[in-house]
């Protein structure tokens, strides 16, 4: 399975979870090349979120072909957002933020990702997920979950 395929599977899962439940728990997905299987890990707490990174590290040392991570988050663009966060404040408290779905992934060759703006109705139901970024060229970067993993050289 290629990274693009894994990102597509996780994106489909994340969108489905968001539209049916109104939220997405942070979710990791791993493709193990040697075993030819993939698996999901859903985080319920901050500690288990850290466990997803540890799992990614373990899996890539044991033959994972690629990994991906999805989560809800906040986005802000421009100099104002940069200035706001420089003082230690979180984008979640900034009035001009956007609620986003972030899906990032990595294999030993690259990092890739997608960002969707979450558009909610007044009753908080999701009415649209509009793609606002794709790939590193659109400002989609890796994350603490997918950057600098200990990929093994091909044998």
């Amino acid at each position: 399975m290629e990274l693009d395929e894994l990102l597509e599977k996780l994106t489909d899962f994340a969108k489905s979870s968001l539209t049916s439940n109104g939220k997405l728990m942070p979710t990791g997905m791993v493709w193990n090349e040697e075993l030819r299987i993939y698996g999901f890990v859903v985080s319920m707490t901050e500690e288990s979120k850290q466990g997803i990174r540890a799992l990614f590290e373990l899996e890539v040392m044991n033959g994972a072909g690629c990994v991906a991570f999805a989560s809800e988050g906040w986005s802000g663009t421009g100099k104002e957002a940069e200035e706001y966060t420089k003082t230690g404040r979180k984008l979640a408290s900034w009035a001009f933020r956007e609620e986003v779905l972030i899906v990032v992934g990595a294999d030993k060759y690259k990092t890739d990702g997608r960002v969707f703006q979450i558009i909610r109705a007044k009753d908080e139901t999701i009415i649209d997920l509009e793609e606002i970024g794709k790939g590193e060229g659109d400002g989609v970067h890796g994350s603490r979950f997918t950057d600098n993993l200990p990929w093994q050289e091909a044998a």
Side-chain angles (χ1 to χ4, degrees):
M1 179 181 296
E2 299 285 324
L3 177 57
D4 292 340
E5 292 175 80
L6 189 71
L7 283 171
E8 196 63 39
K9 281 186 181 297
L10 187 53
T11 297
D12 290 347
F13 171 81
K15 285 179 167 183
S16 176
S17 180
L18 273 168
T19 54
S20 62
N21 303 323
K23 64 181 178 180
L24 171 72
M25 300 305 291
T27 304
M29 191 172 181
V30 174
W31 169 249
N32 188 301
E33 195 65 38
E34 291 175 14
L35 299 176
R36 311 293 298 163
I37 60 172
Y38 67 89
F40 282 100
V41 179
V42 178
S43 168
M44 303 302 270
T45 65
E46 187 60 35
E47 292 79 25
S48 64
K49 221 172 10 175
Q50 299 310 314
I52 290 175
R53 170 61 192 211
L55 173 69
F56 284 177
E57 290 179 6
L58 182 64
E59 286 295 323
V60 299
M61 289 188 290
N62 289 302
C66 47
V67 298
F69 179 78
S71 181
E72 291 181 72
W74 299 104
S75 175
T77 56
K79 202 169 217 40
E80 294 87 3
E82 187 178 317
E83 290 298 319
Y84 189 82
T85 57
K86 273 185 185 176
T87 61
R89 295 177 286 187
K90 303 281 184 196
L91 281 176
S93 64
W94 191 42
F96 304 102
R97 72 196 185 282
E98 292 179 337
E99 186 180 10
V100 293
L101 163 64
I102 303 162
V103 183
V104 293
D107 62 17
K108 71 170 71 178
Y109 306 106
K110 67 180 179 183
T111 298
D112 199 358
R114 319 276 184 273
V115 178
F116 301 86
Q117 181 179 2
I118 300 171
I119 302 168
R120 294 183 187 266
K122 288 186 181 193
D123 65 358
E124 292 297 308
T125 58
I126 294 176
I127 55 175
D128 197 11
L129 288 162
E130 178 183 330
E131 188 169 36
I132 57 174
K134 182 175 184 176
E136 292 209 36
D138 270 346
V140 178
H141 305 288
S143 75
R144 63 187 169 131
F145 296 96
T146 59
D147 284 349
N148 303 311
L149 289 166
W151 297 101
Q152 299 298 304
E153 294 300 316

